[in-house]
Amino acid sequence: MNVNQSAPPVPPFGQNQPIYPGYHQSSYGGQSGPAVPATPYGAYNGPVPGYQQTPSQGVPRAPPSSGAPPASTVQAPCGQSTYGQFGQGDIQNGPSSSAQLQRLPGSQQFGSPLAPVVSQPPVLQPYGPPPSTQVTAQLAGMQITGAVPQAPPPSGLGYGPPTSLASASGSFLNSGPYGSYPQSQAPPLSQAQGHPGVQPPLRSAPPLASNFTSPASGGPRMPSMTGPLPPGQGFGSLPVNQANHVSSPPAHALPPGPQLPGPPVPPPPMHSPQQPGYQLQQNGSFGPARGPQPNYESSYPGAPTFGSQPGPPQPLPPKRLDPDAIPSPQLNELPPQQKTRHRIDPDAIPSPIQVIEDDRNNRGSEPFVTGVRGQVPPLVTTNFLVKDQGNASPRYIRCTSYNIPCTSDMAKQAQVPLAAVIKPLARLPPEEASPYVVDHGESGPLRCNRCKAYMCPLMTFIEGGRRFQCSFCSCINDVPPQYFQHLDHTGKRIDAYDRPELSLGSYEFLATVDYCKNNKFPSPPAFIFMIDVSYNAIRTGLVRLLCEELKSLLDYLPREGGAEESAIRVGFVTYNKVLHFYNVKSTLAQPQMMVVSDVADMFVPLLDGFLVNVSESRAVITSLLDQIPEMFADTRETETVFAPVIQAGMEALKAAECAGKLFLFHTSLPIAEAPGKLKNRDDRKLINTDKEKTLFQPQTGAYQTLAKECVAQGCCVDLFLFPNQYVDVATLSVVPQLTGGSVYKYACFQVENDQERFLRDLRRDVQKEVGFDAVMRVRTSTGIRAVDFFGAFYMSNTTDVELAGLDGDKTVTVEFKHDDRLSEESGALLQCALLYTSCAGQRRLRIHNLALNCCTQLADLYRNCETDTLINYMAKFAYRGVLNSPVKTVRDTLITQCAQILACYRKNCASPSSAGQLILPECMKLLPVYLNCVLKSDVLQPGAEVTTDDRAYVRQLVSSMDVAETNVFFYPRLLPLTKSPLDSTTEPPAVRASEERLSSGDIYLLENGLNLFVWVGASVQQGVVQSLFNVSSFSQITSGLSVLPVLDNPLSKKVRGLIDSLRAQRMRYMKLIVVKQEDKLEMLFKHFLVEDKSLSGGASYVDFLCHMHKEIRQLLS
């Protein structure tokens, strides 16, 4: 069956069938799918499947100061921490010995000079080389030589005088500009935003290249450096405060690359260097002109009119622009050895912000229709609507590539991992309908007899509808009489659009009793709240706060559909060295407490009255929650147990014959004599040694055994940690991780500072819908199979992912490998089936289907990749790798794989060009910047202040993040707050995460999904400070402030509204920290400016790009 054939006019879902009641399909109608041939290549003028490349071009910047401050100034106050959950010592301080990517000394070159970013010539046929980006740059010790008379840039590119920063000299206290800019001079950022003279280059500008001669090839060398090194700089790195010079302007078009084999087509026309080209799309087709760009006021001069013939050549101004001739007012202030140095212009290398903006402009307005096989969806950062027409929404499944190699040899050559990030219970926006629930009665869902795949739109009906051929294993199956329906003239069933399983990519089946444990339908699940009442928990006020919150929170337990009240029952346990169970039966006047002190042999002392319905036992539960803080108010017990608490909760669920979730609130390392007792093994001396991996491994196998028992019972564990010191997160998080639960961490918890974050997280965690006692299996068509899985789950065999609980935030990442040859005609198919118990106790099957294209040309693979998904997979692969390998090995593996991916593209797909040019595939031009962020993350390259617990916490958190979360976690969003109009309702346009983008006259907001900072520049206008902070000057703002005052003015309302909307988008509540420029907390903030060099030795984006180029050249030579 052709998945893309047009649909016959048919009745809408709304028409109920006697056997399959209840499809309330409002928007589906009898939409006919587009008639698209089943070809692996995108339509010539179809929707743009990829993002376009537009280098952000603007005023040259000065690099950030990178002098490390003295360690004493860096301590973050306890509780104000990098991960919002981190305690004292979260920021990176001082270079660590694991610094992998230091810039080489000037005499050693990273390779020949690199060139400004240019796109390869558009190719007029679907088989041509995919669009690509070329980066060249001048490195230390190189001189630009103009071999060809060079055209100056078009008017409006705004080359202004470079700005320069004074070196920090390792101190915060100098009143000089530490990251600030003189008042008289516009800061780099504001020059780029709203400056009428600064225009973005048109995406479709003609292909350009620059001619450089590297010293190695005979060009004149730069004078060697003399004199002492500038402050804050070690040998071999760039001076910290040199001026940014403009890279040489582009001059000549590259010749198009060799044509790959394919049907004969006319050769692409050669564009003259000045002739406006066409917008280059990912599949080599041409589309409409790009919309207006953010932060820019007018379009690029001489923009071509698309759809018509290219305009006449623009006249060439005769004068050649020489970067050395650009006047630089600050040049006199530089030390002699820095005056003539060149540096790659940060605006000439691919910008994540520009790619994100382009994708929003190009793909945010149209709905993404899933009917066509192998379409690359819009980026995760783009807001778009999805119309399900036979393939699962990208909200449920995202792939690293939507066009996969036909053979394993080709896959090995490219080294692009083939993986899918699956979020089976993802929450959808209100405009999109939840999956339809199909009830096939006692016969249950129809499946293939051989491979057990479920009925889906990919199946082909034959013999007049009496049989169907499975598209996964090709087995021919009989259609049961009650399911029979005639076919139309195209071979499609005439009821296809009445049945979700024949027309949609995602839907649910009601499961029959055969899909249930012990062949009986499950009971509704239960929630058990298990509260640490040791001295630490009582002293901080945690227990009183929690008991108050639970009184109201229990009214908001998850409920099914329109149910009046939740079917979930609740129970309560408190513990320190012993456990206290509570009988809260509705017939009791007061709750009863039962103590179990034999923690070595845990049992549940009561059945009746432990798990109760909230509304029936409301009075008794309220009485208990009032009494708990009083009962333990004078406790002096500091020791706690941990494993027996989980054991008790699991036994209670087992006795009640139901699945459920344990909410554990725990404060300290469990050192009391009991199973699962732990010792303090924190040892920072192991960092960067072969034994470092032991810090990520659990201390004892007891917790893995316990987790296995929990999964068998359907007992999921959510852990809330409130540590004041080391608690061994690596061991305590084993059970939550293997049962599909979550870990929350609030270091140095203080009620006044942290209660908002804790209560918001708790509310969201208790209220979210969860699937219990779940099993997931991913089936594939012949030729590929699932071989590896990443996430929070347990696997007892090689195919079934077992989850005691699964919520809408969790993902399972699956890697595929070839086991046979694939065909371009039939493509590759995935089906994810999740069997779970709903919050109401209903057993269901959720099915997601996705069809991908297959290719025999590497160019098609590179044209259809998704960098964000690739980074999600690579981060999870690396974070799992640290359990078994030294961190250095893991980092090197990532760099090598990235270099192999890009080298394969350069060798097989790119047009021939000088080896000094770095050429990146259009779809992967952000791979180096994002990969560098992963390499610099606290798990793989910790600063001196990052604790072992912090690293273990982040490692398990990332393992089940979705693509949108890893995107913002590794490359945080930096938003200027005072740039956009006050009446604007949209988010302000983001800027790149680098110190040189900060202006001391502005206020910025930075978020990464866990943290939220407001950075205030030292020379912000007084009126702005008054409007936002209600104080009269910068010096009166409290550093470390965690809440903005509620003021009745437009700026205050706008900023607080923006903060609320960012928090609503993220799975964890982000605690706000206000950071003032030149304050000691600023080092914590700068940790998240990921394009800059990090204090722990992580490379800057520019340096890493040079390093990648060197690696690629080594592979190619």
Side-chain angles (χ1 to χ4, degrees):
M1 171 187 126
N2 178 354
V3 292
N4 301 323
Q5 64 204 9
S6 60
V10 285
F13 274 116
Q15 300 182 356
N16 289 349
Q17 302 170 15
I19 320 176
Y20 313 103
Y23 309 135
H24 308 294
Q25 174 81 351
S26 52
S27 60
Y28 205 76
Q31 295 161 321
S32 60
V36 180
T39 162
Y41 304 102
Y44 257 69
N45 286 310
V48 187
Y51 31 85
Q52 314 298 345
Q53 177 262 325
T54 311
S56 136
Q57 196 85 21
V59 182
R61 325 269 187 211
S65 319
S66 53
S72 57
T73 61
V74 177
Q75 296 291 342
C78 199
Q80 288 174 347
S81 46
T82 310
Y83 285 94
Q85 286 83 342
F86 285 12
Q88 195 151 354
D90 303 71
I91 42 194
Q92 309 190 333
N93 175 1
S96 76
S97 54
S98 66
Q100 295 291 309
L101 299 176
Q102 296 287 18
R103 166 159 297 207
L104 298 179
S107 58
Q108 272 180 279
Q109 293 188 31
F110 274 116
S112 38
L114 284 172
V117 178
V118 292
S119 271
Q120 284 203 321
V123 181
L124 291 180
Q125 67 207 60
Y127 299 92
S132 64
T133 298
Q134 301 181 358
V135 179
T136 42
Q138 315 85 281
L139 302 175
M142 291 180 186
Q143 171 147 353
I144 303 170
T145 59
V148 181
Q150 304 198 337
S155 61
L157 269 179
Y159 290 99
T163 48
S164 164
L165 295 179
S167 163
S169 308
S171 164
F172 283 112
L173 305 172
N174 59 343
S175 54
Y178 182 74
S180 68
Y181 301 86
Q183 280 292 75
S184 60
Q185 174 196 327
L189 186 78
S190 51
Q191 288 171 337
Q193 292 181 333
H195 188 299
V198 180
Q199 312 296 351
L202 202 66
R203 174 190 301 101
S204 51
L208 303 165
S210 296
N211 288 21
F212 295 113
T213 314
S214 79
S217 59
R221 275 191 183 278
M222 296 296 293
S224 58
M225 285 179 61
T226 55
L229 286 168
Q233 183 199 333
F235 178 74
S237 64
L238 273 173
V240 293
N241 57 350
Q242 74 228 13
N244 264 346
H245 286 285
V246 180
S247 59
S248 177
H252 270 319
L254 280 173
Q259 300 307 319
L260 296 172
V265 285
M270 294 287 287
H271 291 293
S272 70
Q274 307 81 27
Q275 184 183 359
Y278 292 90
Q279 173 172 333
L280 190 51
Q281 293 188 2
Q282 198 180 16
N283 59 0
S285 58
F286 308 110
R290 152 196 191 190
Q293 285 309 292
N295 318 338
Y296 299 113
E297 291 175 13
S298 61
S299 64
Y300 192 93
T305 51
F306 290 97
S308 62
Q309 289 303 311
Q314 304 296 319
L316 262 183
K319 187 163 175 286
R320 170 175 172 260
L321 185 76
D322 181 358
D324 292 306
I326 295 174
S328 169
Q330 291 87 7
L331 207 58
N332 316 340
E333 294 138 38
L334 296 176
Q337 72 268 26
Q338 290 186 309
K339 285 188 183 177
T340 50
R341 296 293 296 274
H342 287 289
R343 182 173 180 269
I344 299 173
D345 178 5
D347 285 339
I349 56 181
S351 158
I353 304 305
Q354 194 64 57
V355 170
I356 288 167
E357 280 300 333
D358 288 348
D359 194 74
R360 281 179 181 159
N361 295 334
N362 293 326
R363 308 198 63 186
S365 51
E366 292 294 313
F368 178 69
V369 181
T370 70
V372 181
R373 181 176 88 186
Q375 280 184 105
V376 181
L379 298 183
V380 284
T381 43
T382 300
N383 283 328
F384 60 98
L385 276 181
V386 179
K387 283 193 174 172
D388 185 341
Q389 290 191 359
N391 281 302
S393 159
R395 303 191 206 288
Y396 294 122
I397 306 181
R398 275 189 179 265
C399 296
T400 52
S401 178
Y402 287 80
N403 201 336
I404 63 179
C406 281
T407 65
S408 59
D409 290 346
M410 192 172 154
K412 279 183 193 131
Q413 187 183 357
Q415 286 285 315
V416 176
L418 305 177
V421 179
I422 305 174
K423 198 175 183 183
L425 298 179
R427 282 187 299 275
L428 301 179
E431 311 85 72
E432 293 177 23
S434 295
Y436 291 94
V437 181
V438 181
D439 185 358
H440 280 317
E442 288 184 12
S443 61
L446 185 57
R447 305 176 69 174
C448 169
N449 291 330
R450 183 194 290 160
C451 71
K452 302 299 181 199
Y454 292 86
M455 179 52 68
C456 68
L458 308 168
M459 302 292 193
T460 313
F461 286 87
I462 54 176
E463 295 180 22
R466 287 188 294 278
R467 307 175 98 184
F468 73 90
Q469 181 164 20
C470 174
S471 46
F472 293 89
C473 69
S474 305
C475 175
I476 292 176
N477 302 268
D478 291 329
V479 174
Q482 72 273 16
Y483 198 77
F484 173 77
Q485 187 54 274
H486 294 286
L487 309 184
D488 65 13
H489 64 285
T490 65
K492 210 174 180 108
R493 280 173 60 121
I494 58 175
D495 66 347
Y497 286 86
D498 292 335
R499 291 184 178 274
E501 75 273 22
L502 298 182
S503 54
L504 294 177
S506 300
Y507 43 86
E508 290 198 327
F509 291 118
L510 281 188
T512 58
V513 75
D514 307 334
Y515 291 88
C516 303
K517 258 187 198 164
N518 308 324
N519 276 6
K520 67 178 193 183
F521 285 111
S523 310
F527 283 179
I528 303 177
F529 296 91
M530 317 188 89
I531 306 167
D532 176 349
V533 288
S534 64
Y535 174 73
N536 272 338
I538 297 291
R539 178 185 60 81
T540 56
L542 168 65
V543 174
R544 189 173 297 279
L545 177 71
L546 176 59
C547 290
E548 268 312 303
E549 177 64 23
L550 286 177
K551 288 181 202 170
S552 56
L553 187 55
L554 294 175
D555 291 331
Y556 297 98
L557 298 176
R559 62 193 75 182
E560 193 79 12
E564 284 194 13
E565 62 175 48
S566 174
I568 292 173
R569 292 169 296 162
V570 298
F572 301 89
V573 172
T574 57
Y575 68 94
N576 38 46
K577 269 191 353 189
V578 297
L579 276 74
H580 323 106
F581 292 78
Y582 297 93
N583 183 345
V584 283
K585 200 171 178 181
S586 56
T587 52
L588 296 173
Q590 284 294 322
Q592 296 172 347
M593 174 184 185
M594 298 184 182
V595 180
V596 176
S597 52
D598 182 6
V599 289
D601 184 19
M602 186 44 65
F603 67 97
V604 180
L606 75 158
L607 286 179
D608 191 31
F610 179 62
L611 294 177
V612 296
N613 179 291
V614 174
S615 53
E616 288 172 10
S617 297
R618 162 74 60 200
V620 192
I621 290 173
T622 304
S623 170
L624 170 66
L625 294 172
D626 283 336
Q627 289 175 35
I628 286 174
E630 307 308 327
M631 229 183 315
F632 298 99
D634 301 324
T635 185
R636 285 287 169 267
E637 185 55 73
T638 54
E639 292 189 354
T640 56
V641 295
F642 187 73
V645 184
I646 296 175
Q647 181 86 34
M650 184 194 66
E651 297 290 350
L653 294 176
K654 193 183 275 183
E657 295 186 342
C658 69
K661 184 182 268 199
L662 312 182
F663 295 85
L664 244 83
F665 304 90
H666 189 80
T667 59
S668 56
L669 192 69
I671 54 172
E673 278 305 327
K677 172 185 172 180
L678 300 178
K679 61 179 188 291
N680 187 335
R681 54 162 186 166
D682 190 15
D683 186 359
R684 293 194 58 83
K685 291 198 283 295
L686 298 181
I687 292 179
N688 295 322
T689 68
D690 284 353
K691 288 189 176 172
E692 184 174 5
K693 59 191 176 198
T694 60
L695 297 175
F696 296 109
Q697 296 165 354
Q699 265 189 57
T700 156
Y703 287 96
Q704 268 133 324
T705 310
L706 181 57
K708 192 173 167 182
E709 292 171 24
C710 286
V711 172
Q713 185 46 49
C715 167
C716 174
V717 179
D718 278 0
L719 175 60
F720 292 79
L721 284 170
F722 305 87
N724 287 337
Q725 54 202 37
Y726 178 74
V727 287
D728 200 349
V729 173
T731 305
L732 298 190
S733 63
V734 165
V735 178
Q737 176 81 1
L738 292 176
T739 59
S742 306
V743 179
Y744 299 83
K745 181 164 165 284
Y746 309 89
C748 307
F749 180 80
Q750 293 173 307
V751 168
E752 57 278 13
N753 291 335
D754 301 297
Q755 73 167 27
E756 181 70 4
R757 186 159 68 90
F758 164 54
L759 294 180
R760 292 282 193 98
D761 282 344
L762 177 62
R763 286 168 199 155
R764 192 171 184 277
D765 199 57
V766 169
Q767 293 173 32
K768 64 187 173 189
E769 289 197 15
V770 184
F772 293 97
D773 214 355
V775 181
M776 185 181 112
R777 180 175 283 194
V778 179
R779 292 180 174 84
T780 54
S781 54
T782 311
I784 54 168
R785 62 193 173 91
V787 293
D788 209 352
F789 300 84
F790 304 82
F793 52 77
Y794 175 74
M795 292 187 79
S796 56
N797 58 37
T798 56
T799 54
D800 293 341
V801 175
E802 297 175 46
L803 303 123
L806 176 68
D807 60 54
D809 296 328
K810 298 282 190 309
T811 64
V812 176
T813 301
V814 186
E815 186 184 2
F816 303 98
K817 289 264 167 73
H818 287 75
D819 56 8
D820 204 348
R821 191 185 169 84
L822 295 164
S823 87
E824 285 185 274
E825 188 186 343
S826 54
L829 313 178
L830 316 178
Q831 184 178 78
C832 164
L834 177 79
L835 175 66
Y836 71 100
T837 302
S838 73
C839 291
Q842 199 176 48
R843 201 72 174 148
R844 291 184 177 178
L845 279 154
R846 180 168 287 201
I847 311 295
H848 299 296
N849 304 290
L850 185 63
L852 303 173
N853 285 331
C854 297
C855 57
T856 52
Q857 304 292 341
L858 282 166
D860 292 318
L861 164 68
Y862 283 101
R863 195 182 279 127
N864 292 280
C865 286
E866 238 252 321
T867 301
D868 294 321
T869 312
L870 205 54
I871 288 294
N872 180 286
Y873 165 83
M874 292 171 107
K876 290 173 180 176
F877 179 81
Y879 280 18
R880 188 179 67 182
V882 297
L883 287 172
N884 306 308
S885 308
V887 172
K888 182 183 184 309
T889 308
V890 172
R891 289 165 47 79
D892 291 345
T893 304
L894 280 185
I895 292 171
T896 305
Q897 181 170 20
C898 179
Q900 284 173 328
I901 291 171
L902 298 176
C904 174
Y905 173 81
R906 174 73 189 255
K907 183 177 173 187
N908 299 289
C909 309
S911 308
S913 60
S914 120
Q917 286 183 314
L918 170 61
I919 302 185
L920 303 169
E922 179 62 28
C923 283
M924 289 189 187
K925 64 184 178 190
L926 298 182
L927 188 61
V929 62
Y930 286 161
L931 183 72
N932 189 35
C933 296
V934 175
L935 293 170
K936 290 202 291 191
S937 63
D938 288 332
V939 174
L940 298 182
Q941 193 162 35
E945 300 301 311
V946 179
T947 68
T948 307
D949 274 350
D950 295 336
R951 297 176 73 197
Y953 170 73
V954 173
R955 197 192 74 77
Q956 61 81 33
L957 194 61
V958 168
S959 70
S960 50
M961 274 187 182
D962 73 4
V963 179
E965 286 158 3
T966 51
N967 173 273
V968 77
F969 178 74
F970 289 114
Y971 192 95
R973 272 205 291 187
L974 183 61
L975 307 172
L977 296 181
T978 48
K979 286 281 194 290
S980 51
L982 288 178
D983 53 359
S984 160
T985 52
T986 56
E987 255 175 40
V991 295
R992 293 168 69 165
S994 168
E995 188 184 330
E996 57 189 60
R997 308 284 161 165
L998 300 177
S999 147
S1000 64
D1002 284 320
I1003 297 179
Y1004 297 84
L1005 188 146
L1006 182 143
E1007 64 109 4
N1008 75 339
L1010 296 182
N1011 309 80
L1012 195 58
F1013 293 94
V1014 167
W1015 182 88
V1016 187
S1019 35
V1020 170
Q1021 291 172 356
Q1022 197 174 335
V1024 172
V1025 172
Q1026 184 72 50
S1027 300
L1028 208 50
F1029 299 101
N1030 205 24
V1031 294
S1032 56
S1033 71
F1034 173 80
S1035 59
Q1036 292 174 299
I1037 300 171
T1038 310
S1039 181
L1041 193 68
S1042 61
V1043 62
L1044 293 179
V1046 178
L1047 304 173
D1048 188 16
N1049 66 66
L1051 180 64
S1052 177
K1053 287 177 180 169
K1054 180 181 173 181
V1055 171
R1056 285 182 289 110
L1058 175 62
I1059 288 172
D1060 289 343
S1061 84
L1062 291 177
R1063 282 172 169 162
Q1065 292 169 27
R1066 302 296 171 215
M1067 63 171 186
R1068 305 278 168 122
Y1069 181 83
M1070 298 184 289
K1071 178 181 165 184
L1072 176 70
I1073 300 179
V1074 173
V1075 175
K1076 292 163 69 177
Q1077 185 175 4
E1078 298 179 17
D1079 184 81
K1080 62 179 187 290
L1081 268 177
E1082 197 182 29
M1083 290 319 296
L1084 176 57
F1085 171 79
K1086 285 181 179 176
H1087 175 76
F1088 297 99
L1089 300 178
V1090 289
E1091 288 200 19
D1092 299 338
K1093 190 172 174 178
S1094 69
L1095 289 172
S1096 57
S1100 70
Y1101 174 20
V1102 169
D1103 288 355
F1104 185 69
L1105 202 58
C1106 296
H1107 183 71
M1108 282 313 304
H1109 187 213
K1110 175 170 162 267
E1111 294 277 330
I1112 292 165
R1113 294 185 63 183
Q1114 282 176 347
L1115 285 172
L1116 291 175
S1117 61

